[in-house]
Amino acid sequence: MSDITVVGSGASAVHFALSVLEKGYAVTMLDVGYPPEEAVNPRDTLNGLKENLVDPVDYFLGKKFESLILPDAGKEYYGFPPSKNYVFRAPGLLRERSEGFAPLFSFARGGLAEAWTGGAYAYNDAELADFPFGYDDLEPFYSRVAGRIGMLGARDDLERFHPWHANLQPPLEFDEHSALLYAAYERKRERLQKKHSCFMGRSRLAVLSRDMDGRQACDYSGRCLWGCPSDSLYVPSLTLKACLGFPRFTYIPGMLVSHFTYGADDRVATVTAWDLEKGRPQDFPVKKLVLAAGTLCTARIFLASIQRRTGQSMELSGLMDNRQVLIPFINLKLAGKPFKAETYQYHQLAMGIETDDPRHFVHGQITTLKTGLLHPIIESVPLDLKTSLFLSRNLHAALGVANINFHDDRRPGNRVAIAGAPDPLRAELRIRYAPPPGEKKRLQGLISRVKAILLQLGAAVPPGMLHVRPMGASVHYAGTIPMNRGKKSLTATANCRSHDFDNLYFVDGTCFPFLPAKNLTFTLMANAARVAEREF
Amino acid sequence: MESLFVTGGSGFVGRCLLAALDPGRFRHVHWLSRNPAQRMPAPAGTQPVAGDLNDPESYRSLLNSNVTVVHLAAATGRAGPAQQRTANVDGTRVLLGECSRAEVRRFLHVSSIAAKFPEKKHYPYGRAKEEGEALVRAAGLPYAILRPTIIAGPGSPVMAGLQRLAALPLMPVFGGGKTRIQPIHVDDLVQVMLAVLAEDRFQGETLDIGGPQAVSIEDFLLRMRRLSGSERRRVVRLPLRPLIPLLAAGEKVLGQRLPLSASQLYTFRHDGVADANPLTDKLAGGFRTIDEMIAESLSLTVESGGDPRLERECRVFGRYLLGREMNPYVQAKYAEGHAALAWDRGPGFFDPLLVAIAARHPLTVKPCDAYARFFRPQGLLRKKLVLLLAVLELTPPYYRSIDAAGPGSLPGLFVAVAWKGFTMVLALVPAVIVLLPLQVLSRITRGRRAPESENV
Ligand SMILES: Cc1cc2nc3c(=O)[nH]c(=O)nc-3n(C[C@H](O)[C@H](O)[C@H](O)COP(=O)(O)OP(=O)(O)OC[C@H]3O[C@@H](n4cnc5c(N)ncnc54)[C@H](O)[C@@H]3O)c2cc1C
Ligand code: SF4
């Protein structure tokens, strides 16, 4: 029996595991762990793939054309490519029902962040106010994780929101459009800051601008969305690979954990997983159990375990996610100009809008559209397709999207429960979410402000193309069993140990008591490393 | 027990070799790849090594007198001359230096038939391969050099290129088309390599490795066309002699941005056929024929749906969107999209009627498309047009015209958009007059029809 059993191999799990392995513990990791497919033609650029693949449409749209975005698909501007299908593949056994929430799950080796866009921002003291620790406690772990994953950033105006930490490489070269926007910001800095409380700077990204640990610096191949072939863009499976180098690490994929069992002493005794290959359950005795299956899957395992033992249907409240609004824009200076496909594909610029309460800062990431597929944009323009195609061709270099993120807090009505069959595998996960009162008004105010800011930067927002993404779409889930200074059921200690079970830990978003606007994964990883250091 | 060290292990040939090896026969099988190993799951019994030929530190420790080296790593195709040299000449030199120092047991060098082309002035790949061979011969190691011809098989870049040529409505043939090629399937090449290892043929031979048949390149392309179901035999002949230096000069200025490179045209210039040798004579009975190679390559693409109605639609819609003919690949993908997505006809008779009217002529698509944008935005016609657009933005050569910007200046763009907007309104007016009543009628009558599920 290992010292520690971890469930999941996502961003949270692997950084926890690597940290305890480095301390000499023996670790077993149970995971569903669907693996990725081999990267095709790793040396080709994006257009190189179109030229050289025998069947490029199959690669980009999928055998079942699943990545084609049809006019009835809502207003998403990109779909997940077939090469990322494994990230969202789910075992057929699981069921869920949601109200007001569109959840995404991953059962992949590396979890959801195998498809992430690499935005990695540290929380500051104000944002950590509800956490039982401050930035100084977390900083060493941000720095450690940054050194592991390879991150870049620059000291600029955004430092007022995103604290500076060690191990940041210099940023990538701007693509032409981002450079233009940033130059406009520099010219109008004072006005933007005074009038709109808007600050801009480089995105902090989990991407390499220098070679590191056998991984190559980004060579601007433009393939980010389809999977970086040179591992310049960090994904958790790289850390899993590092874990596999430890002799005391055992990784067992193909295991869908359904529940744990516990005795009268409220200590977890075993964890039960459904062996997906053999089609039967398997028990693993545990000394310490660490759940890192992603906030929603961790909730499912936790609730199913209690329901199985007590027959009681319980629920967890306080589920959080960041509301995201996509605001497409056109930079008129680039209209009719050719675009360069060989550039970094995701956002290179970030924006922060200060509000009265520093916890409620609004976080924006600005992606200038380069190599993404054009058909979703072309079909969304209110013109016939041929005219719209003409327009998009000429505006391709000028297109961009501001992705604006809002904070969330724990509210009792936002719940996760399980119901139905007593068999933990077949029980249905039920999610209910309602936005905070007055959200619409707040969003409208901020959207107008962002439009005005973009105009200052020389970019216009075309009518009818703005998209308020449904809750769940940002995939920043947190808050169901929060860290709590006092001992209270359904909460956890400052080191993420359950107050209900002595040897049970949650190292994913489960324990976050507050969700700032900025992307949480970097903090998930840092917190997981912190728990490993402080508690083990 | 000896060990094996394979360079270029994650490449096209390397992958097949590693998959076919019996790792039990070797103490270790290490394979070098510039791309971190976990990008390609390591075949059982083999170990990836992240590194680069020109960075001997990354593999030095793996070489010793018990190791046979299989040297596959190479920059091919459209890499620029400098890259070709760094990878194919410098890389080979560095590797050989390390191998000599470690006194490796044997060295299997996979070169190319291009090394023996009589003239390679504008063909840096061929030159680099020839130089690489000379380095191997001079290194003083027990060696064998294999010169494969065009290598076919899943993921073959050359076959993909030829297939694209064959799929064009007007098939270009450079030069007289009589130049001969003799493709070999990658699995068969791997069998040859395994035989060299097993028979210990490391006496300094240079062996050409070709498939069982040699044909003219024009014949080959026409066979490809025929097997893909196309009846057309229209060929356009383009002069090869002036084109090669012209392209080479263009590349000096524009780098590798041209759609065609001088190097690629060398396939049309010199016979790429293999001299006979006892080893291939012995194995050739089991080699794949040209038709088998072509059939595999085409089946990896798609088979045309063969539905004349969809083919017509695709052609008409393609001419509407891009003003160009659609090649068989696009037509097949359009049909395949229909099969995969299995759209139903929608409520009532209106959607299929709109598609039928639109598909009559490129001129009728415009009003139907404009109408659909405003009155049937999620209907069948727009789905079909979006499907075609998505296929086109991924398929050469069409994607290049989708990516190309137009007027260049903002005022020019305004004028062009204003004009196009005006023509859209002009098209929309009669469309509304004719189509709106039909759509209303279709709504009224839809309850009387049985639910439709037939694919369209
Ligand atoms: C398109 C996209 C873009 C994103 N961009 C960003 C970004 O730029 N910045 C950012 O901070 N975040 C981003 N995210 C969010 C980020 O991916 C998640 O926050 C992060 O992956 C959460 O990590 P996790 O380890 O907590 O959980 P997950 O990634 O959900 O991992 C869960 C793991 O648990 C395993 N598992 C689950 N249930 C079970 C079970 N029952 N039994 C066994 N194993 C199980 C799974 O196999 C998986 O390995 C993005 C997400 C997506 C989808
Ligand atoms: S991060 Fe993106 S642009 Fe950079 S190398 Fe990877 S895929 Fe290419």
Side-chain angles (χ1 to χ4, degrees):
Chain A
M1 193 193 320
S2 290
D3 306 321
I4 302 167
T5 304
V6 180
V7 178
S9 69
S12 311
V14 291
H15 285 277
F16 172 81
L18 185 58
S19 304
V20 282
L21 285 165
E22 283 168 351
K23 294 181 81 175
Y25 285 96
V27 176
T28 296
M29 183 176 275
L30 302 175
D31 187 21
V32 174
Y34 294 126
E37 303 228 332
E38 180 187 325
V40 301
N41 297 15
R43 285 190 202 169
D44 277 341
T45 60
L46 187 89
N47 282 344
L49 287 180
K50 294 183 192 172
E51 292 286 342
N52 296 332
L53 290 176
V54 176
D55 191 351
V57 173
D58 179 76
Y59 176 74
F60 285 101
L61 296 183
K63 290 220 174 330
K64 297 187 187 133
F65 287 69
E66 61 272 19
S67 297
L68 176 73
I69 307 233
L70 287 168
D72 51 6
K75 272 193 190 163
E76 291 297 337
Y77 292 109
Y78 70 85
F80 292 114
S83 53
K84 295 286 177 192
N85 278 350
Y86 78 99
V87 179
F88 303 101
R89 185 176 156 201
L93 296 163
L94 301 177
R95 289 185 302 141
E96 92 268 340
R97 189 152 46 137
S98 313
E99 230 176 88
F101 204 82
L104 264 183
F105 301 92
S106 173
F107 297 91
R109 196 166 294 189
L112 284 163
E114 292 291 300
W116 76 332
T117 52
Y121 304 86
Y123 289 0
N124 58 31
D125 270 327
E127 290 161 334
L128 289 168
D130 289 355
F131 288 67
F133 48 81
Y135 177 70
D136 283 349
D137 299 299
L138 211 46
E139 188 280 332
F141 302 100
Y142 278 131
S143 297
R144 186 193 294 181
V145 169
R148 274 183 195 162
I149 69 179
M151 263 183 70
L152 49 83
R155 305 203 81 138
D156 52 32
D157 293 355
L158 289 182
E159 212 174 312
R160 65 193 291 126
F161 307 118
H162 311 308
W164 189 254
H165 50 81
N167 295 327
L168 285 166
Q169 299 188 352
L172 297 176
E173 277 169 34
F174 268 141
D175 58 83
E176 190 189 355
H177 190 173
S178 299
L180 206 66
L181 291 169
Y182 192 60
Y185 167 74
E186 286 190 313
R187 278 197 311 276
K188 302 200 174 155
R189 175 184 271 124
E190 209 168 311
R191 186 183 157 83
L192 284 166
Q193 293 183 355
K194 258 205 196 118
K195 184 152 183 233
H196 299 294
S197 311
C198 167
F199 299 80
M200 281 179 71
R202 298 278 191 158
S203 298
R204 298 263 177 95
L205 296 172
V207 176
L208 300 181
S209 58
R210 303 272 182 275
D211 291 357
M212 191 184 102
D213 300 339
R215 291 162 57 201
Q216 286 169 34
C218 169
D219 63 2
Y220 304 93
S221 67
R223 289 173 61 171
C224 321
L225 175 63
W226 289 270
C228 175
S230 53
D231 290 336
S232 320
L233 177 62
Y234 171 79
V235 285
S237 53
L238 290 167
T239 307
L240 177 61
K241 205 175 139 212
C243 293
L244 288 166
F246 285 78
R248 307 195 75 198
F249 181 66
T250 313
Y251 177 60
I252 314 181
M255 293 291 161
L256 176 65
V257 171
S258 54
H259 63 282
F260 55 79
T261 63
Y262 55 95
D265 57 353
D266 283 344
R267 284 184 67 81
V268 175
T270 63
V271 61
T272 304
W274 185 259
D275 184 329
L276 289 165
E277 201 181 311
K278 298 200 177 109
R280 58 174 157 77
Q282 197 177 333
D283 291 337
F284 299 84
V286 296
K287 284 189 194 158
K288 290 187 174 179
L289 178 62
V290 176
L291 294 181
T295 301
L296 295 175
C297 291
T298 289
R300 185 200 290 267
I301 296 168
F302 181 80
L303 292 170
S305 309
I306 298 177
Q307 190 198 36
R308 186 176 168 276
R309 163 95 193 220
T310 63
Q312 230 183 316
S313 253
M314 295 185 52
E315 53 183 26
L316 300 173
S317 62
L319 175 66
M320 298 181 282
D321 185 30
N322 296 123
R323 172 72 84 185
Q324 289 187 327
V325 180
L326 302 182
I327 308 182
F329 61 84
I330 297 170
N331 194 324
L332 296 176
K333 281 208 181 91
L334 289 171
K337 298 274 185 306
F339 79 100
K340 196 166 164 236
E342 279 94 42
T343 46
Y344 177 70
Q345 155 122 37
Y346 294 140
H347 49 94
Q348 290 190 296
L349 272 180
M351 170 196 282
I353 299 178
E354 217 159 43
T355 58
D356 297 341
D357 182 342
R359 287 160 31 105
H360 298 171
F361 133 89
V362 176
H363 171 56
Q365 296 181 133
I366 299 181
T367 305
T368 53
L369 289 184
K370 289 146 292 196
T371 56
L373 299 188
L374 270 187
H375 71 270
I377 299 171
I378 295 174
E379 71 195 48
S380 66
V381 177
L383 291 167
D384 66 82
L385 275 179
K386 185 172 169 140
T387 309
S388 169
L389 170 62
F390 171 83
L391 201 63
S392 309
R393 264 165 59 184
N394 289 292
L395 294 180
H396 192 157
L399 293 176
V401 180
N403 181 352
I404 308 298
N405 288 244
F406 298 84
H407 77 276
D408 200 7
D409 30 39
R410 300 187 65 248
R411 292 184 300 283
N414 294 337
R415 297 191 188 143
V416 182
I418 53 165
D423 173 357
L425 265 183
R426 325 234 163 227
E428 187 176 72
L429 185 71
R430 293 201 177 152
I431 303 168
R432 249 179 52 200
Y433 186 95
E439 190 204 35
K440 207 168 168 190
K441 207 165 147 220
R442 191 159 58 99
L443 293 191
Q444 270 166 354
L446 267 145
I447 290 168
S448 308
R449 204 184 314 176
V450 173
K451 283 183 177 173
I453 293 166
L454 287 169
L455 210 56
Q456 288 289 321
L457 300 176
V461 176
M465 293 188 70
L466 188 135
H467 177 41
V468 178
R469 299 187 85 195
M471 289 311 295
S474 89
V475 214
H476 298 161
Y477 309 147
T480 41
I481 304 178
M483 290 177 235
N484 191 28
R485 286 194 176 88
K487 188 167 161 51
K488 194 173 150 213
S489 182
L490 303 186
T491 63
T493 68
N495 288 340
C496 301
R497 179 155 52 82
S498 164
H499 275 309
D500 300 285
F501 302 98
D502 255 4
N503 57 344
L504 176 68
Y505 297 81
F506 314 97
V507 303
D508 47 24
T510 302
C511 292
F512 281 29
F514 174 67
L515 189 66
K518 56 183 73 154
N519 324 42
L520 85 170
T521 310
F522 186 38
T523 306
L524 288 178
M525 299 189 268
N527 183 53
R530 183 191 66 87
V531 172
E533 188 62 41
R534 299 277 181 258
E535 184 78 10
F536 291 83
Chain B
M1 215 183 204
E2 74 169 338
S3 294
L4 210 57
F5 178 69
V6 181
T7 70
S10 57
F12 168 44
V13 180
R15 282 198 303 262
C16 299
L17 173 67
L18 292 172
L21 274 179
D22 172 8
R25 285 199 46 234
F26 303 95
R27 190 177 155 85
H28 298 292
V29 178
H30 287 115
W31 49 278
L32 184 73
S33 167
R34 284 213 312 168
N35 309 292
Q38 102 334 317
R39 279 293 167 206
M40 163 176 145
T46 73
Q47 283 132 31
V49 181
D52 189 300
L53 284 181
N54 285 308
D55 170 20
E57 297 288 322
S58 60
Y59 56 85
R60 182 173 290 146
S61 61
L62 303 173
L63 302 177
N64 58 53
S65 59
N66 218 4
V67 171
T68 291
V69 174
V70 180
H71 181 31
L72 285 165
T76 54
R78 292 172 58 75
Q83 227 181 321
Q84 299 270 10
R85 250 204 100 70
T86 315
N88 300 346
V89 182
D90 300 344
T92 303
R93 182 182 296 115
V94 173
L95 173 68
L96 283 165
E98 293 302 317
C99 290
S100 300
R101 201 163 306 138
E103 297 179 345
V104 299
R105 209 169 138 219
R106 311 178 295 178
F107 193 93
L108 175 55
H109 180 67
V110 180
S111 177
S112 159
I113 203 73
K116 73 171 197 181
F117 285 177
E119 175 277 321
K120 315 180 192 63
K121 186 164 172 218
H122 300 296
Y123 195 19
Y125 174 70
R127 289 201 306 273
K129 279 291 175 190
E130 189 179 17
E131 263 187 78
E133 286 186 4
L135 291 170
V136 173
R137 289 189 194 100
L141 295 165
Y143 73 88
I145 296 175
L146 304 184
R147 286 174 168 171
T149 53
I150 288 176
I151 309 173
S156 158
V158 185
M159 286 292 274
L162 292 172
Q163 202 172 319
R164 275 197 299 273
L165 277 188
L168 292 174
L170 210 57
M171 190 176 80
V173 170
F174 301 93
K178 301 290 167 248
T179 308
R180 290 184 317 139
I181 57 171
Q182 188 182 348
I184 178 153
H185 194 275
V186 65
D187 291 342
D188 299 332
L189 171 62
V190 164
Q191 288 314 313
V192 175
M193 293 166 70
L194 294 178
V196 171
L197 292 173
E199 295 174 16
D200 198 19
R201 287 183 82 106
F202 286 86
Q203 290 79 34
E205 281 177 300
T206 300
L207 303 174
D208 294 352
I209 311 294
Q213 299 150 286
V215 294
S216 81
I217 188 142
E218 182 169 336
D219 269 358
F220 182 85
L221 290 170
L222 286 171
R223 265 189 215 213
M224 229 176 196
R225 220 165 157 85
R226 205 183 53 242
L227 284 173
S228 72
S230 168
E231 288 304 311
R232 297 185 200 206
R233 296 182 56 87
R234 274 163 70 194
V235 166
V236 54
R237 286 186 200 289
L238 299 170
L240 189 59
R241 270 176 195 278
L243 208 54
I244 289 183
L246 216 62
L247 279 172
E251 281 161 32
K252 282 211 177 102
V253 184
L254 296 170
Q256 301 301 308
R257 288 189 196 94
L258 297 170
L260 190 70
S261 70
S263 296
Q264 284 172 321
L265 291 187
Y266 269 77
T267 317
F268 289 86
R269 171 117 206 217
H270 299 295
D271 284 343
V273 290
D275 287 343
N277 64 64
L279 185 63
T280 41
D281 284 354
K282 191 168 66 186
L283 296 170
F287 283 179
R288 244 155 283 197
T289 63
I290 282 189
D291 281 353
E292 282 170 336
M293 289 184 243
I294 294 178
E296 181 194 55
S297 165
L298 291 171
S299 74
L300 286 170
T301 321
V302 274
E303 282 169 38
S304 162
D307 179 340
R309 194 175 39 114
L310 288 182
E311 274 173 26
R312 186 186 154 73
E313 252 173 52
C314 176
R315 280 203 310 274
V316 173
F317 293 170
R319 256 187 285 149
Y320 163 65
L321 287 173
L322 288 187
R324 301 173 72 153
E325 285 299 326
M326 299 290 101
N327 68 26
Y329 174 76
V330 170
Q331 295 190 19
K333 279 287 151 185
Y334 184 72
E336 201 185 74
H338 280 73
L341 296 162
W343 295 312
D344 64 27
R345 301 162 67 102
F349 62 80
F350 185 71
D351 270 7
L353 179 70
L354 189 64
V355 171
I357 299 173
R360 288 198 73 77
H361 194 274
L363 287 177
T364 55
V365 195
K366 173 99 177 176
C368 293
D369 176 21
Y371 179 87
R373 177 64 188 92
F374 297 102
F375 298 95
R376 196 75 186 100
Q378 296 173 7
L380 191 58
L381 176 62
R382 276 178 53 83
K383 285 182 180 158
K384 284 175 178 256
L385 287 168
V386 168
L387 166 65
L388 182 59
L389 190 64
V391 169
L392 291 173
E393 71 167 317
L394 297 168
T395 306
Y398 307 101
Y399 85 86
R400 283 184 229 122
S401 49
I402 291 180
D403 281 354
S409 71
L410 197 55
L413 182 61
F414 267 124
V415 173
V417 172
W419 170 247
K420 282 176 190 286
F422 175 66
T423 57
M424 183 185 84
V425 175
L426 275 189
L428 199 54
V429 174
V432 172
I433 294 170
V434 177
L435 295 172
L436 194 57
L438 288 170
Q439 190 177 353
V440 173
L441 190 68
S442 162
R443 275 208 170 176
I444 296 167
T445 55
R446 77 177 165 194
R448 301 198 196 130
R449 292 174 67 106
E452 311 273 4
S453 61
E454 180 194 341
N455 289 353
V456 281

